[in-house]
Amino acid sequence: MKKILEFTFAFIVIAFLLGSLAGFFLDRPVFLSYVYSDSMTPTINRGDLFLMNPLAKNFEVGDIIVFHRRDGWTVHRVFAVTDEGFITKGDNNVATDQQDGLYPPVNNSDVAGKVVVLLGKPLVLRGGGNLIQSLRARLSNVYAIVVLLIVGAFLTFSGDSKRKKRVKYYRVSIRTLYAVASVMIVAGFLFVTVASWGTLAFSYSSTLAGGQRDGWYLPGSTFDKNLSVENKALYPFYYFISGDGERAQLLGPTFFRIGGGSSVEVPVHVTVPEDTKIYREEFQVWSYPAILPASLVIFLYSFSPYLPFVAYALLISAVLLAFYHLAGISEGDVLRIRKRRGSILSKVLGDG
């Protein structure tokens, strides 16, 4: 029983670390996330760290969900459920996110998970997000790799090494396991990259009272505005900005390489329409990890935003294949899971 508990605990730790690291480096919430604003105060305050369940599928009124909208990831409460999707609202906000058409209803596909609640209150670590932000600014990938190696060593060398007679084994091909794991790694990488795509958006008013408040402009006038593209991940990313319209045009380059934790200002020129009302401008942001030559990514992107994924998939597959050969895994290697009363012990052995 002790061995089963050890194995289960180690498996949970590995799954938690891998999921959290994926979100940590590619800026997608997986198990943990933290709040950037005061919209959920006092339930979850700015800088609080909270635990989320990424496997949750069914959401009801009152649930606190983490979802992606045009301007990034948001944690708000489900205010209502409609045929078009979820109506959401921050506990500290007066209006819902969808009021006046500012944001569309949230679909299930936009939701990354649900905040874990215990006894009616979300599980949060007050101020924990501020610590994470500080660590992200200082730590490098080396530390994450060290953590994984330590946990991996724990799994590899823990357990009883004594030989037992008359023991039955379950045999699983290492080659098959490696192939399945490789497919999952490639698919997970592509999925998380797509999830990092977003939209730069801003609103303004065409009104005869232009200039009296910030964001109010006279009909027919023009103004310039800077939009900030921020890479919150540790690793550098390539960014493409698109979406010029009749009212708003991008000034300057539309491709950037942004280092981890850095940002770039994108200038936009806007011509205010004659009709007096509120307008919203949007620009699509496509991002890719900077692990391939920029010229190659730009060339592939010119055909389709999805085409660079072919090059990324080939690169990751090549690395995994090289590691497979360097590890010396042969067709005869099997994972033999020895089953005995009260414990489970795994070994990697050759047929010889």
Side-chain angles (χ1 to χ4, degrees), residues 31-82:
F31 294 115
L32 292 173
S33 190
Y34 54 94
V35 178
Y36 297 93
S37 70
D38 298 315
S39 64
M40 283 298 293
T41 302
T43 308
I44 308 177
N45 299 322
R46 180 196 295 264
D48 285 353
L49 189 72
F50 60 84
L51 183 66
M52 57 176 285
N53 176 14
L55 301 179
K57 297 298 181 183
N58 299 319
F59 308 104
E60 302 175 349
V61 173
D63 289 341
I64 304 175
I65 60 175
V66 181
F67 59 95
H68 192 275
R69 63 185 189 187
R70 296 188 185 102
D71 49 4
W73 291 99
T74 304
V75 54
H76 279 175
R77 194 181 298 274
V78 176
F79 185 78
V81 180
T82 68

Side-chain angles (χ1 to χ4, degrees), residues 53-294:
N53 176 14
L55 301 179
K57 297 298 181 183
N58 299 319
F59 308 104
E60 302 175 349
V61 173
D63 289 341
I64 304 175
I65 60 175
V66 181
F67 59 95
H68 192 275
R69 63 185 189 187
R70 296 188 185 102
D71 49 4
W73 291 99
T74 304
V75 54
H76 279 175
R77 194 181 298 274
V78 176
F79 185 78
V81 180
T82 68
D83 293 337
E84 290 76 23
F86 303 116
I87 304 300
T88 54
K89 176 182 174 296
D91 288 1
N92 195 38
N93 291 346
V94 176
T96 66
D97 301 329
Q98 291 72 27
Q99 184 168 318
D100 298 328
L102 186 60
Y103 296 101
V106 179
N107 297 319
N108 270 299
S109 59
D110 300 321
V111 181
K114 180 168 65 174
V115 175
V116 176
V117 175
L118 182 63
L119 300 178
K121 295 184 178 180
L123 291 179
V124 300
L125 177 62
R126 299 298 182 185
N130 296 327
L131 176 61
I132 295 296
Q133 286 181 305
S134 176
L135 290 174
R136 289 181 70 165
R138 291 173 173 83
L139 295 180
S140 66
N141 296 359
V142 175
Y143 292 90
I145 295 173
V146 169
V147 171
L148 291 178
L149 289 177
I150 292 174
V151 177
F154 168 77
L155 283 177
T156 302
F157 297 107
S158 65
D160 187 5
S161 59
K162 296 180 180 180
R163 294 185 177 180
K164 298 288 183 178
K165 296 182 179 180
R166 298 179 181 177
V167 176
K168 294 182 178 180
Y169 290 90
Y170 295 106
R171 299 164 61 91
V172 182
S173 170
I174 295 297
R175 188 174 182 178
T176 301
L177 289 177
Y178 191 86
V180 172
S182 298
V183 171
M184 294 179 64
I185 290 173
V186 174
F189 173 85
L190 300 182
F191 172 79
V192 175
T193 300
V194 171
S196 68
W197 293 353
T199 304
L200 293 176
F202 64 95
S203 300
Y204 60 94
S205 296
S206 174
T207 172
L208 296 177
Q212 294 187 15
R213 291 188 180 181
D214 186 33
W216 288 13
Y217 300 95
L218 289 170
S221 64
T222 62
F223 67 92
D224 292 334
K225 182 179 182 64
N226 287 331
L227 302 179
S228 180
V229 181
E230 184 179 2
N231 178 12
K232 296 177 183 177
L234 288 180
Y235 197 82
F237 269 68
Y238 298 133
Y239 287 85
F240 294 88
I241 316 297
S242 63
D244 280 352
E246 296 181 359
R247 300 185 300 263
Q249 296 81 37
L250 295 169
L251 302 176
T254 57
F255 169 79
F256 307 92
R257 183 186 186 277
I258 305 178
S262 301
S263 61
V264 169
E265 297 295 320
V266 180
V268 179
H269 180 74
V270 180
T271 301
V272 182
E274 295 290 343
D275 293 339
T276 56
K277 63 179 183 179
I278 298 176
Y279 292 89
R280 179 181 176 83
E281 308 296 342
E282 297 181 358
F283 297 91
Q284 183 66 44
V285 180
W286 315 84
S287 57
Y288 308 89
I291 57 178
L292 289 173

